[in-house]
Amino acid sequence: MKPLTLTAIVMVKNEEDIIERFIRINSKVIDRFVIFDDKSSDRTVDILKKLCEEQFRITLMTNNSQWESESLSYRQSDIMNYLRKWVHEDKTEPSDYIFPLDVD
């Protein structure tokens, strides 16, 4: 019997002070992170890329798509629903469970 795969979906913006700790702690129970970055102006994306190099399973999406010119603070539920659907339909890395998490 194969073990269950647990995926976290996360939306971040300017979380450099907590993002590394968040990933390291939650990776003890979460297998994969799908993270949407809403134009962070700090080192959040750099930290996530460094964690990817350390073999943490992180899929990083950035706000350069359909929401590019919008402020997303009031659209968090739309983004989280988009991420949930994206993970659910991802056949390359199927997940048994999807957890929406907030970094802080």
Side-chain angles (χ1 to χ4, degrees):
M1 183 173 176
K2 81 174 189 88
L4 295 175
T5 301
L6 309 177
T7 298
I9 56 174
V10 186
M11 184 173 166
V12 298
K13 183 168 186 166
N14 297 332
E15 305 283 359
E16 74 178 358
D17 58 333
I18 189 76
I19 192 68
E20 182 172 0
R21 200 168 345 144
F22 170 83
I23 296 292
R24 290 188 187 280
I25 289 170
N26 286 293
S27 67
K28 293 176 182 177
V29 293
I30 298 293
D31 300 302
R32 176 183 178 206
F33 297 87
V34 176
I35 300 176
F36 183 92
D37 178 69
D38 182 20
K39 298 181 181 179
S40 291
S41 59
D42 63 1
R43 295 182 49 246
T44 299
V45 172
D46 294 334
I47 293 167
L48 288 168
K49 287 178 180 177
K50 182 185 83 127
L51 290 168
C52 288
E53 292 172 3
E54 291 181 31
Q55 305 307 312
F56 285 94
R57 290 179 57 201
I58 299 170
T59 301
L60 180 60
M61 298 179 178
T62 57
N63 182 10
N64 59 6
S65 61
Q66 67 199 42
W67 300 290
E68 182 176 358
S69 62
E70 298 180 37
S71 171
L72 299 180
S73 57
Y74 65 92
R75 304 261 331 254
Q76 185 170 8
S77 62
D78 293 338
I79 301 298
M80 295 302 277
N81 282 331
Y82 169 79
L83 294 177
R84 180 200 48 78
K85 184 178 178 186
W86 187 87
V87 170
H88 180 72
E89 293 174 353
D90 183 10
K91 303 302 182 209
T92 60
E93 291 190 69
S95 286
D96 296 301
Y97 293 96
I98 302 168
F99 297 92
L101 297 180
D102 193 318
V103 174
D104 50 10

